[in-house]
Amino acid sequence: CLPKRKLTLSCGHWEAFDSEIDGGFKVMEKGNSSVDLSAKIQELYAITKGLEAQFPGRRFTPDGHLVGSIGEVLVADHYGLTLLPNSAETHDAVSSDGRKIQIKTTQINRIAISSEPDYLIVIRISDCGKWEEIYNGPGHLVWNNVGKMQKNGQRPITLAKLQSLMCKISEIEQIKPKK
C-alpha cells in the first residue's frame, strides 16, 4: 500500500499536499465571515519562536489543548462535522450521518488514546498552518493495535503504524470531506 499523500519538508516540518486535500485551510467559513486559519496558526508559531529567541533554552512549543483544539476545528471544517462540547467523553465530533469521531492532532510521530472511539481521524499539523491526514477510519482497528497503557492512562501508537493501518481501510469506511 502506498501512502495516499506525498510528504514534503517545508517550514521545518513534514507536510503533505495533493489534489485531494489542501491541508492549508486558508479559509474557514462561519456564517458570513471567514477566518484565515493558516495565517493565525503561522502567527501563533511566530510568537512562540520569538519567545524562544528572547529566552534561550526555554521552549514555548504549542501543545496539549491548543494543538488539539486547532486540529478539531480544522477537521470539523474540512469534513463538515459538528463539534461536541469539550467535556464530551471519547468523541470530539459527530458526522452528518450520526457517526461519532475522535480527532487527534500531533506535531510529532505518535498519538495516544485512552479509549476506543467509534471513528478516528488523526492529523499532523505544521507551524505553517498546513496539515496532513494520517488516519481516517474505524476506531477499533487502531484500538486493537495501540501499545501498553502509560502512567497517564493513554495508549500510544506511532504515525507509521497508523499509516499502515490506513492501507486496510476502504473509502466506504472513511469520513468523507464536505463538498
Side-chain angles (χ1 to χ4, degrees), residues 95-124:
S95 65
S96 60
D97 61 0
R99 291 183 283 178
K100 295 179 185 175
I101 302 145
Q102 184 175 79
I103 301 165
K104 287 292 187 177
T105 307
T106 188
Q107 301 174 94
I108 56 176
N109 65 352
R110 67 187 172 281
I111 62 152
I113 58 177
S114 58
S115 58
E116 180 181 338
D118 292 352
Y119 286 86
L120 178 65
I121 295 177
V122 177
I123 66 169
R124 180 170 36 191

Side-chain angles (χ1 to χ4, degrees), residues 2-158:
L2 296 173
K4 292 188 178 204
R5 289 159 180 76
K6 290 184 177 180
L7 295 175
T8 58
L9 186 59
S10 178
C11 303
H13 292 276
W14 289 101
E15 299 175 9
F17 302 99
D18 62 17
S19 59
E20 293 180 45
I21 286 185
D22 173 15
F25 268 92
K26 292 175 180 59
V27 176
M28 176 185 160
E29 292 185 18
K30 195 171 192 174
N32 291 333
S33 65
S34 64
V35 178
D36 185 344
L37 291 177
S38 290
K40 292 201 177 297
I41 293 167
Q42 289 173 24
E43 184 179 339
L44 179 66
Y45 279 97
I47 291 168
T48 62
K49 286 178 183 176
L51 288 168
E52 288 173 351
Q54 187 174 350
F55 301 98
R58 179 68 55 195
R59 305 245 334 139
F60 291 88
T61 306
D63 58 10
H65 292 290
L66 179 61
V67 170
S69 292
I70 289 170
E72 288 169 5
V73 170
L74 292 173
V75 169
D77 180 62
H78 184 75
Y79 295 94
L81 307 175
T82 301
L83 288 172
L84 297 171
N86 283 336
S87 59
E89 190 174 330
T90 306
H91 299 97
D92 302 304
V94 177
S95 65
S96 60
D97 61 0
R99 291 183 283 178
K100 295 179 185 175
I101 302 145
Q102 184 175 79
I103 301 165
K104 287 292 187 177
T105 307
T106 188
Q107 301 174 94
I108 56 176
N109 65 352
R110 67 187 172 281
I111 62 152
I113 58 177
S114 58
S115 58
E116 180 181 338
D118 292 352
Y119 286 86
L120 178 65
I121 295 177
V122 177
I123 66 169
R124 180 170 36 191
I125 192 168
S126 78
D127 58 6
C128 297
K130 307 289 184 178
W131 62 276
E132 169 192 12
E133 177 189 273
I134 302 296
Y135 182 87
N136 176 351
H140 70 86
L141 187 58
V142 173
W143 186 250
N144 292 336
N145 286 277
V146 293
K148 292 181 182 178
M149 186 182 295
Q150 300 170 328
K151 290 179 184 178
N152 64 2
Q154 298 276 322
R155 296 173 183 265
I157 188 166
T158 66

